[in-house]
Amino acid sequence: MSGTATADPARLPVGRPTPARQVRWPWRTALAALGGLAVYLAFPAHDLSALAVAGPAALALAVRGQRVRAGLWLGLVLGLVTMVPLLSWSGVYVGSFPWLALAVTEALYFALLGGATALTSRLPGWPVWAAALWVAQEALRGRWPLGGFPWGRLGFSQAEGPFTAFAAYGGVPLVGFAVALTGTLLAAAVVRARAVGEGRGARPVLRAAAVPLVAALAVPAVGGLAWLPLAGSSLTEGGPTRTVAVIQGNVPRAGLDFNAQRRAVLDNHAAETIRLADAVAAGDAAQPDLVIWPENSSDIDPYTNADAARVISRAAAAIDAPILVGAVVQGPGELISNTGIVWDPVTGPGETYVKRHPVPLAEYVPARPFFRFFSPLVDRVTDFAHGTEVGTLDIGGARVGDVICFEIAYDGLVSDVVDDGAGMIVVQTNNATFGYTDETEQQLAMSRLRAVEFGRTVVVAATSGVSAIVAPDGTLVHRSELFTADSFVEPIAQRDQRTVAERLGAAPEWLLTAIGVGAVLAALTTGRARRRVR
């Protein structure tokens, strides 16, 4: 019989970690991995959005009472299992190295999350601090380095469901916090049940777990009630309407060289526009006030190539409406610009928007000699200019907020156009470089969240799909298929109502981040005080 005293779990304070040896047991690693798998499956195209809560729950349980270094490892495991498959589309045509490098880099932020969650797991109220730390991790990951990469935020997994409405009150960060808080409260229920469960019977276990369990169920219930005052699924309510046409011309082939036949891509979009004009003339489609073409619909610079300009002008004259053309334009200097051009059927090119956030290593290469050491493919990238003006354009009587491709993932770039008076949001995108992967569906889910966040209809125009019209409540009114030519026309209200999320801007994210960072500082201070007492 050992002479070492052991603590009776039934006598421990409820919700406190047991004084067990701090060991990174295999079951903790397995639990973190399962949490990462659950988060991955919550995203399109798997669409098991309810599983998202299992990620924060699993991480909270795995790191509970562990040292920071164990938390770093467990967070890394969860991050890798989430990000490696989620970002697999990034390597579909360029090989595994860029994909894995990006996935590992993103997973390192989850390692920080795991370490911070372990550190704060001894504090009273730890489920709240753990959920706030998810927001803090995403805030950092979405901004640094090189402007960040906010793909895979918890909120983006909730294009529909009980958490979606939170977007209208605090944007994507509040949606992510609600998902994470539900998960950490479920973890707290498990911790409390285990603390009193050994040999005590079912009733004490249920009584101990009741409060966090009810709180966990209350979060999505509040989200369900939060829908009541929000905009509905109507495209025409909330302001004067403009009839909008979306054109998806398709590309000759998928892949990095989708635009090797640049003239074919331009001709495809012009031809689809002329087919729509014929349908309008026959009375089979409504006359549009404006037409949206996607990003890269003209990779021939229409300012310097008279033939490209004639093709666009012919299409605009046929449809008798201005076209927002996605073009690659030479300049400034040796750079090129990813540009949206308003092309009038009479006067030709007018207002423009230049993409403000080109994608690092895809649309420009910082420190090119350094990255060339890892892959010669960087020399296939021609540097794009960074635009400086907000993408709010006047087209056919509508004030349109234009964002290009991955810009839909960045909170500030979308809120800027709405703050500048956009009555609808347009996403010009080209997904041909990602083939038949989940990237398109993941990006579409972001557009659906933005519709709810700002109470605006979102129009997505893609070269090869998926093009869509998203109602202000996030529902899909129209969507195209991949690698098919398509078009659709809808009257869309130009709304000017402001959601709570728009009024608050980034404040919810900064507040939740401050709460998480404050909990870390409190845990460090408490730890130092405890060591001094010893």
Side-chain angles (χ1 to χ4, degrees), residues 58-323:
L59 183 63
L61 289 172
V63 305
R64 176 75 175 153
Q66 297 297 290
R67 295 181 185 274
V68 170
R69 65 190 179 196
L72 292 170
W73 162 253
L74 296 166
L76 179 64
V77 169
L78 184 143
L80 288 172
V81 176
T82 299
M83 286 297 174
V84 170
L86 187 72
L87 301 179
S88 59
W89 50 263
S90 63
V92 64
Y93 293 118
V94 298
S96 59
F97 179 79
W99 156 40
L100 294 176
L102 176 61
V104 171
T105 300
E106 296 297 291
L108 291 175
Y109 292 90
F110 287 85
L112 294 176
L113 170 64
T117 304
L119 180 65
T120 58
S121 67
R122 295 172 175 84
L123 295 176
W126 61 268
V128 177
W129 321 139
L133 285 168
W134 276 83
V135 178
Q137 172 263 137
E138 292 178 350
L140 177 62
R141 185 161 60 88
R143 290 175 172 83
W144 185 87
L146 303 174
F149 188 67
W151 218 270
R153 296 162 74 185
L154 273 181
F156 285 146
S157 69
Q158 303 299 307
E160 56 186 30
F163 297 104
T164 311
F166 286 112
Y169 300 91
V172 178
L174 186 58
V175 178
F177 177 75
V179 172
L181 183 60
T182 301
T184 57
L185 287 169
L186 290 173
V190 173
V191 169
R192 282 176 168 264
R194 287 182 60 194
V196 300
E198 296 183 12
R200 297 286 296 274
R203 186 171 296 177
V205 170
L206 292 174
R207 192 161 48 242
V211 172
L213 186 59
V214 169
L217 296 175
V219 177
V222 170
L225 293 174
W227 277 113
L228 296 178
L230 299 184
S233 59
S234 173
L235 298 180
T236 57
E237 294 178 358
T241 62
R242 295 292 182 271
T243 303
V244 181
V246 180
I247 302 295
Q248 177 176 303
N250 203 12
V251 300
R253 56 182 175 270
L256 292 177
D257 59 347
F258 78 95
N259 63 347
Q261 299 178 25
R262 294 180 296 168
R263 178 56 190 268
V265 176
L266 174 57
D267 286 346
N268 285 353
H269 286 84
E272 188 64 29
T273 304
I274 291 170
R275 276 194 289 273
L276 177 61
D278 292 340
V280 171
D284 296 328
Q287 169 63 49
D289 297 305
L290 62 152
V291 179
I292 309 297
W293 283 10
E295 177 190 28
N296 297 122
S297 49
S298 179
D299 273 359
I300 305 172
D301 184 351
Y303 291 116
T304 60
N305 188 295
D307 190 41
R310 279 193 294 270
V311 171
I312 299 171
S313 293
R314 190 181 305 121
I319 198 66
D320 193 26
I323 300 174

Side-chain angles (χ1 to χ4, degrees), residues 252-439:
R253 56 182 175 270
L256 292 177
D257 59 347
F258 78 95
N259 63 347
Q261 299 178 25
R262 294 180 296 168
R263 178 56 190 268
V265 176
L266 174 57
D267 286 346
N268 285 353
H269 286 84
E272 188 64 29
T273 304
I274 291 170
R275 276 194 289 273
L276 177 61
D278 292 340
V280 171
D284 296 328
Q287 169 63 49
D289 297 305
L290 62 152
V291 179
I292 309 297
W293 283 10
E295 177 190 28
N296 297 122
S297 49
S298 179
D299 273 359
I300 305 172
D301 184 351
Y303 291 116
T304 60
N305 188 295
D307 190 41
R310 279 193 294 270
V311 171
I312 299 171
S313 293
R314 190 181 305 121
I319 198 66
D320 193 26
I323 300 174
L324 179 60
V325 179
V328 174
V329 174
Q330 297 298 317
E334 296 182 355
L335 302 176
I336 55 179
S337 301
N338 194 342
T339 306
I341 307 171
V342 179
W343 202 283
D344 188 86
V346 177
T347 59
E351 293 186 21
T352 61
Y353 167 63
V354 176
K355 188 175 184 180
R356 297 166 65 192
H357 192 97
V359 180
L361 304 179
E363 293 178 312
Y364 76 99
V365 180
R368 190 178 290 264
F370 172 78
F371 286 105
R372 189 184 293 121
F373 175 79
F374 296 97
S375 174
L377 288 175
V378 298
D379 287 325
R380 295 186 61 178
V381 178
T382 302
D383 288 342
F384 279 75
H386 289 68
T388 58
E389 300 295 327
V390 175
T392 309
L393 305 169
D394 292 309
I395 314 173
R399 192 151 175 81
V400 169
D402 188 21
V403 293
I404 298 178
C405 201
F406 283 13
E407 289 186 325
I408 192 66
Y410 294 86
D411 297 350
L413 297 179
V414 186
S415 64
D416 281 351
V417 298
V418 179
D419 289 342
D420 200 36
M424 59 181 283
I425 299 170
V426 166
V427 184
Q428 293 181 288
T429 187
N430 166 40
N431 301 315
T433 50
F434 305 115
Y436 290 88
T437 66
D438 295 341
E439 185 274 343

